[in-house]
Amino acid sequence: MDGFINFMEKYFIPPASKIAAQRHLVAIRDAFIVTMPLMILGSLAILINNLPIPMYQTFMNNTFGEELWKSFGGNVWNGTFGILSVLIAFMVAYNLTKHYGKDGVAAGVVSVASFFALGGATGMASNGLFIALLVGLISAEIFSRLVGNEKLIVKMPEGVPPAVAKSFAALFPAMITISIFGLITTIFLAFGVKDLVASFYELVQQPFMGLANSLPSAMLLAFITPFLWFFGLHGANMVEPLMQTINLPAIEANQAAIKAGEVAPYIVNKPFFDSFVNLGGTGATLGLIIAIFLFGRRNKAYKIVTNLSTAPGIFNINEPMMFGLPIVLNPLMFIPFILTPVVLVTVAYLATSSGLVPAATVMPPWVTPPIIGGFLATQSVAGGVLAAVNLLISVVIYAPFVKIAEIQELKREKEVA
């Protein structure tokens, strides 16, 4: 195990660290982090509208009228999920351009305009997410290079307010950037593509979501994040750009299918992982905390760290365990930390695909405690039961390794004494 860790430290961590710091991936990741509160709000609004309790639905319909009281959730959706692609187009361009030391706000505005020039009016919700990401990245690259060109600067006379001069300095770069995307739309129209966003969604985004919706891909995602974390790399942040491109369209497709009385088409999304796999954080470390309480109380070092980590762990914050126990670069914890998420994702996937548990259609806040999160994500008691079963499985997997660690610690203490 030591040889493996040395090998990974030498050959894997350096390139992985470079990938984690890659400016385009960072720009995408930070954009989704900023919009996360809106996603949670939109999910909660949908939950309020569709809470599967007949008495609740009947009471609200009789008291306020179905159209009136459900308009609240619809209005909130319009202000969150309904404009998500527009927000992502702005934030990706803003973050990337700020990385270059240029005017991020101007770049964000240009990106939004470019998105609509490309036909974004038909893809303002999550169906335009891929296009919005591409537009944000490409427009930022074009704009940031043009905005520093002296030949494109409109020089204003002295005495003009700085804000006005700054906006005119970006005039020609903005015009050129937006015009490029407008020209692209015209070219595609010449080839018979009337709605570029819808065509891209059908040809690229939907097949990609279907590919990522398989059990092997879910297992791969469950493996990658803890594997990176074991070596001190923030696996969740590195995988987040990929997860978000799958996540929101899948949630919306599930919601639409269930509303139409059909089977939800997508199993794999962010609430699926948050509610059934990342119990207590990456690696399902709440199971490790419980295992230490049950089987490792004589290990004084583990006991101290666990006492301090329990409260955060209940709310899926596991950095105290990652670096305090530690799990990072701890050879004993490598196997259960990697194995547990893979087992849990398999159990959850099979339970969902077999119809025992409904697909996740609501995205609770990521700090929602396990079991409660499973109930909210699926709007079903079965979701809470599945989360409880997976939590028990995680305890069982961690238990032998906790016991081994306790035996090793007792031997060490005896030798010291």
Side-chain angles (χ1 to χ4, degrees):
M1 182 61 76
D2 290 340
F4 171 73
I5 291 177
N6 292 333
F7 174 84
M8 296 299 293
E9 285 181 332
K10 184 177 181 180
Y11 295 105
F12 175 77
I13 292 180
S17 299
K18 290 181 180 179
I19 293 174
Q22 207 281 329
R23 59 180 178 270
H24 298 90
L25 293 179
V26 171
I28 295 172
R29 182 198 69 201
D30 291 348
F32 279 110
I33 289 174
V34 170
T35 57
M36 187 63 69
L38 297 181
M39 299 181 205
I40 294 172
L41 174 60
S43 292
L44 292 177
I46 294 170
L47 174 62
I48 291 172
N49 272 17
N50 299 283
L51 196 65
I53 301 175
M55 290 180 61
Y56 165 79
Q57 294 285 340
T58 302
F59 171 78
M60 296 298 287
N61 291 340
N62 293 338
T63 305
F64 303 103
E66 182 176 1
E67 182 178 356
L68 179 62
W69 81 269
K70 286 198 172 183
S71 68
F72 167 75
N75 294 334
V76 173
W77 186 93
N78 290 335
T80 52
F81 283 107
I83 58 169
L84 182 65
S85 292
V86 179
L87 299 175
I88 291 297
F90 180 92
M91 290 306 307
V92 168
Y94 172 85
N95 292 331
L96 183 56
T97 307
K98 288 287 288 184
H99 173 84
Y100 291 129
K102 304 294 178 62
D103 187 353
V105 174
V109 171
V110 169
S111 176
V112 171
S114 300
F115 177 66
F116 281 101
L118 207 60
T122 61
M124 295 171 60
S126 62
N127 60 317
L129 195 57
F130 268 54
I131 290 285
L133 289 173
L134 294 175
V135 170
L137 295 172
I138 296 172
S139 66
E141 291 287 354
I142 297 173
F143 179 79
S144 62
R145 283 163 171 73
L146 295 177
V147 79
N149 192 324
E150 295 183 359
K151 296 180 181 180
L152 299 177
I153 296 177
V154 178
K155 297 182 179 179
M156 304 297 292
E158 295 183 4
V160 174
V164 177
K166 188 176 181 180
S167 65
F168 272 88
L171 176 62
F172 285 121
M175 292 172 63
I176 294 171
T177 303
I178 298 169
S179 298
I180 289 173
F181 286 94
L183 179 61
I184 292 173
T185 307
T186 301
I187 293 173
F188 274 96
L189 181 62
F191 285 94
V193 181
K194 296 181 179 180
D195 190 335
L196 185 58
V197 174
S199 299
F200 186 90
Y201 180 79
E202 293 175 0
L203 293 175
V204 179
Q205 188 166 336
Q206 273 191 325
F208 174 74
M209 288 164 57
L211 179 66
N213 197 47
S214 65
L215 177 57
S217 64
M219 294 173 67
L220 179 61
L221 290 170
F223 167 81
I224 289 175
T225 303
F227 183 79
L228 293 171
W229 253 121
F230 181 81
F231 295 96
L233 303 170
H234 202 303
N237 281 352
M238 295 176 70
V239 177
E240 189 70 10
L242 172 63
M243 281 299 300
Q244 290 295 355
T245 55
I246 303 169
N247 179 42
L248 298 177
I251 291 176
E252 287 196 351
N254 286 352
Q255 292 168 350
I258 291 175
K259 189 174 182 180
E262 302 172 356
V263 178
Y266 296 108
I267 295 175
V268 180
N269 51 34
K270 193 172 189 300
F272 171 83
F273 273 90
D274 288 348
S275 302
F276 304 127
V277 183
N278 300 328
L279 306 173
T282 299
T285 48
L286 184 58
L288 173 58
I289 290 174
I290 296 173
I292 291 174
F293 275 122
L294 294 176
F295 306 105
R297 296 189 65 84
R298 292 191 295 170
N299 188 330
K300 295 179 181 178
Y302 273 24
K303 184 179 178 182
I304 292 173
V305 174
T306 303
N307 288 339
L308 296 174
S309 303
T310 299
I314 292 173
F315 297 97
N316 303 318
I317 300 169
N318 67 347
E319 277 77 4
M321 291 293 287
M322 297 297 298
F323 300 104
L325 199 63
I327 295 174
V328 172
L329 294 178
N330 182 345
L332 182 61
M333 285 296 156
F334 177 78
I335 293 176
F337 186 65
I338 301 296
L339 177 63
T340 302
V342 175
V343 173
L344 299 189
V345 82
T346 303
V347 172
Y349 188 96
L350 295 176
T352 306
S353 61
S354 65
L356 294 175
V357 178
T361 56
V362 174
M363 188 167 67
W366 65 273
V367 292
T368 303
I371 302 176
I372 297 175
F375 169 76
L376 293 177
T378 61
Q379 303 182 57
S380 167
V381 174
V385 173
L386 175 59
V389 170
N390 272 7
L391 183 59
L392 178 61
I393 292 173
S394 68
V395 174
V396 172
I397 295 175
Y398 275 113
F401 298 90
V402 169
K403 200 63 183 177
I404 292 171
E406 182 184 67
I407 293 171
Q408 290 180 342
E409 179 65 15
L410 292 176
K411 286 183 178 179
R412 189 192 65 81
E413 291 177 359
K414 187 176 180 181
E415 290 173 357
V416 171

